[in-house]
C-alpha cells in the first residue's frame, strides 16, 4: 500500500513508519523536523510541512491508500491549546480535497462511551483520577473525534490507555466501539501495529476502537 504518516517523528508515528516499511509499504512521512525521523529506506519519502496549511498537505496525501496519524499534544499546554484537533483539521481538509478516504488517528481510552458491564473497582478509580488530571488532553481529543465524525473520511479513532515503550508484540486486545475490559496499558509499537492492521479492516471504519494488553 501507499501510506502517508503524520506525526511521523512521535513515539507511535516512528513505529508506524518503521513497521510499514518492514511490511513492504511505500511511506510518505510528514514531519516538521526531518532530523528527528530515525527510519530510512528506499520506500520512504520525507515530506517537510507546515501543518497549519491544508493546501500544502494535499501533495503529501494525493494518491495514497490511507493516512495514519500519530499527531497529538506533546504536553498539557498544547492540549489546552487544542493541538490534536488543530493539527488534524488540515489533514481532513487535504484528504477531502484529494478524495482520499481512509484515515486512522490516535485518541485515548477515556473517549470510549461507558460500558454496560462495570469495570473492576481499581480501574474505575484509576480512570476517574487520570480523567481529572488529563482533562485538557481528553477535551482536545473529543473535539478532534467530533470533527472526524463530521468529515467525509472513513476514519478510525484508535483509543489506547497508558502508553509504554515496550517493543512490538502483535499480541493485544481490541474492541470496536468500546475498550477491552480492564484496559490499563499498551506499547506505542503495538498501537502502531494495531493501526496498520486496521487499515484494511472495514469493521473499524467510522468507529472508535479500544486497544490494550
Ligand atoms: N501518553 C499516554 O499515556 C497516552 C495515552 C493515551 C493516548 N495518548 C495520545 O497518544 C498520542 C500519541 O502518543 P505519542 O507518545 O506517540 O506522542 P508524541 O511522541 O508526543 O508524538 C506527538 C506527535 O505530534 C507531533 N506534533 C505535536 N505538536 C505539533 C505541532 N505543533 N506541529 C506539528 N506536529 C506536532 C509531534 O511532532 P514533533 O516530533 O515534531 O514534535 C509528534 O510527531 C498523544 O499525543 C496522546 O494524545 C497518550
Amino acid at each position: 500500500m501507499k501510506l502517508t504518516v503524520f506525526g511521523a517523528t512521535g513515539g507511535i508515528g516512528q513505529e508506524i513508519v518503521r513497521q510499514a516499511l518492514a511490511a513492504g509499504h511505500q511511506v510518505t512521512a510528514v514531519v516538521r523536523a526531518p532530523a528527528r525521523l530515525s527510519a530510512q529506506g528506499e520506500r520512504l519519502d520525507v515530506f517537510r510541512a507546515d501543518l497549519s496549511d491544508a493546501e500544502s498537505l494535499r501533495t503529501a496525501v494525493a494518491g495514497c491508500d490511507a493516512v495514519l496519524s500519530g499527531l497529538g499534544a506533546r504536553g498539557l499546554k498544547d492540549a489546552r491549546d487544542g493541538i490534536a484537533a488543530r493539527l488534524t483539521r488540515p489533514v481532513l481538509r487535504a484528504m477531502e480535497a484529494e478524495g482520499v478516504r481512509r484515515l486512522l488517528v490516535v485518541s485515548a481510552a477515556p473517549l470510549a462511551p461507558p460500558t454496560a458491564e462495570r469495570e473492576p473497582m481499581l480501574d474505575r478509580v484509576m480512570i476517574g483520577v487520570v480523567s481529572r488530571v488529563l482533562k485538557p488532553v481528553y477535551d482536545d481529543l473529543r473535539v478532534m473525534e467530533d470533527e472526524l465524525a463530521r468529515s467525509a473520511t472513513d476514519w478510525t479513532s484508535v483509543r489506547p490507555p497508558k502508553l509504554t515503550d515496550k517493543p512490538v508484540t502483535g499480541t493485544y486486545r481490541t474492541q470496536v466501539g468500546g475498550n477491552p475490559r480492564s484496559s490499563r496499558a499498551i506499547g506505542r509499537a503495538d498501537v502502531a501495529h494495531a493501526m496498520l492492521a486496521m487499515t484494511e479492516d472495514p469493521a473499524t471504519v467510522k468507529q472508535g476502537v479500544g486497544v490494550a494488553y
Side-chain angles (χ1 to χ4, degrees):
M1 279 188 291
K2 197 166 179 292
L3 305 176
T4 298
V5 181
F6 286 86
T9 48
I12 293 172
Q14 299 257 16
E15 277 294 328
I16 295 173
V17 172
R18 192 184 64 73
Q19 293 177 37
L21 290 172
H25 301 304
Q26 179 76 38
V27 177
T28 298
V30 185
V31 299
R32 56 176 170 175
R36 283 208 287 272
L37 189 65
S38 57
Q40 290 179 339
E42 271 177 21
R43 291 185 308 281
L44 174 65
D45 290 321
V46 181
F47 188 97
R48 186 179 191 160
D50 169 6
L51 292 198
S52 62
D53 179 7
E55 203 52 36
S56 74
L57 301 183
R58 288 181 60 169
T59 315
V61 303
C64 74
D65 298 302
V67 171
L68 293 91
S69 170
L71 290 169
R74 281 237 178 243
L76 278 180
K77 183 183 172 302
D78 281 349
R80 282 191 199 96
D81 290 343
I83 198 87
R86 203 136 51 76
L87 296 174
T88 305
R89 206 167 289 139
V91 175
L92 289 170
R93 298 295 87 83
M95 291 178 68
E96 287 168 336
E98 290 298 327
V100 175
R101 297 295 300 250
R102 191 72 178 111
L103 170 66
L104 298 99
V105 305
V106 182
S107 181
L111 274 283
T115 46
E117 191 187 5
R118 272 164 80 83
E119 291 282 344
M121 171 69 97
L122 179 60
D123 294 278
R124 277 186 279 142
V125 170
M126 273 170 52
I127 290 167
V129 172
V130 171
S131 294
R132 270 194 297 281
V133 174
L134 297 180
K135 185 174 182 302
V137 175
Y138 303 139
D139 287 349
D140 179 20
L141 292 173
R142 197 163 289 110
V143 173
M144 179 191 76
E145 288 204 355
D146 287 347
E147 295 194 14
L148 295 180
R150 288 196 297 271
S151 77
T153 62
D154 288 336
W155 56 273
T156 299
S157 188
V158 179
R159 297 174 176 149
K162 181 180 164 46
L163 295 172
T164 72
D165 288 325
K166 185 173 171 152
V168 66
T169 68
T171 304
Y172 46 80
R173 298 173 294 156
T174 62
Q175 188 165 324
V176 175
N179 288 319
R181 188 168 160 76
S182 197
S183 291
R184 291 188 182 166
I186 188 165
R188 289 173 174 84
D190 277 320
V191 176
H193 186 280
M195 290 173 76
L196 285 164
M198 287 178 211
T199 299
E200 293 189 287
D201 180 355
T204 65
V205 169
K206 297 187 192 294
Q207 298 284 346
V209 182
V211 288
Y213 292 131

